[in-house]
Amino acid sequence: MIEYRIDRRSGVATYVQIVQQTKQALRLGLLEPGDKLPAAREVVEATAVNPNTVLKAYRELEREGLVEARRGLGTFVRRSLGAAPGDSPLRGELSEWTSRARTAGLERDDVAALFAAVLDEHFDSTAKGQENR
């Protein structure tokens, strides 16, 4: 079960954070087709956001074909994204690299900027993967 974490100081709309976290869980294999998303009421209780915000996020995920609402049953995952299982060796390497960056004195935003720069060097920003962000 996914647990949403809302960062109210991020400047990112709450519904976008829910969409992004759901997509991340789909990419990491934490959510798979057939899995049920938490009911809007459960997300509201856990995060203290407006129910309409949760429903807006779920509608956006449904519009993108990632989930489907089943009347009276809830919202279910229709398809997964990407192929980056959360327990892959690449995750371990990235974790080690991140630990070294932190030891070297880099802040979270420094690491994010460096990582984004390297991503831009290796991936075309107009590539297909951009549509699922």
Side-chain angles (χ1 to χ4, degrees), residues 92-129:
E93 292 174 25
L94 186 57
S95 179
E96 289 175 27
W97 179 87
T98 304
S99 179
R100 289 197 320 267
R102 190 171 186 178
T103 300
L106 296 179
E107 297 291 331
R108 182 185 182 103
D109 288 343
D110 299 330
V111 170
L114 187 56
F115 189 69
V118 172
L119 282 176
D120 288 345
E121 288 175 16
H122 294 276
F123 291 94
D124 179 1
S125 63
T126 60
K128 181 181 176 224

Side-chain angles (χ1 to χ4, degrees), residues 17-31:
Q17 291 183 51
I18 293 171
V19 169
Q20 289 173 337
Q21 290 174 29
T22 303
K23 288 180 176 180
Q24 182 178 3
L26 291 170
R27 289 194 181 284
L28 295 175
L30 302 174
L31 284 174

Side-chain angles (χ1 to χ4, degrees), residues 76-94:
F76 293 83
V77 173
R78 287 187 67 199
R79 66 180 177 98
S80 60
L81 289 172
D87 59 350
S88 78
L90 291 173
R91 181 185 177 125
E93 292 174 25
L94 186 57

Side-chain angles (χ1 to χ4, degrees), residues 4 27 45 47 52 61 63 80 114 126:
Y4 296 106
R27 289 194 181 284
E45 289 173 4
T47 61
N52 290 327
L61 292 164
R63 187 190 65 74
S80 60
L114 187 56
T126 60

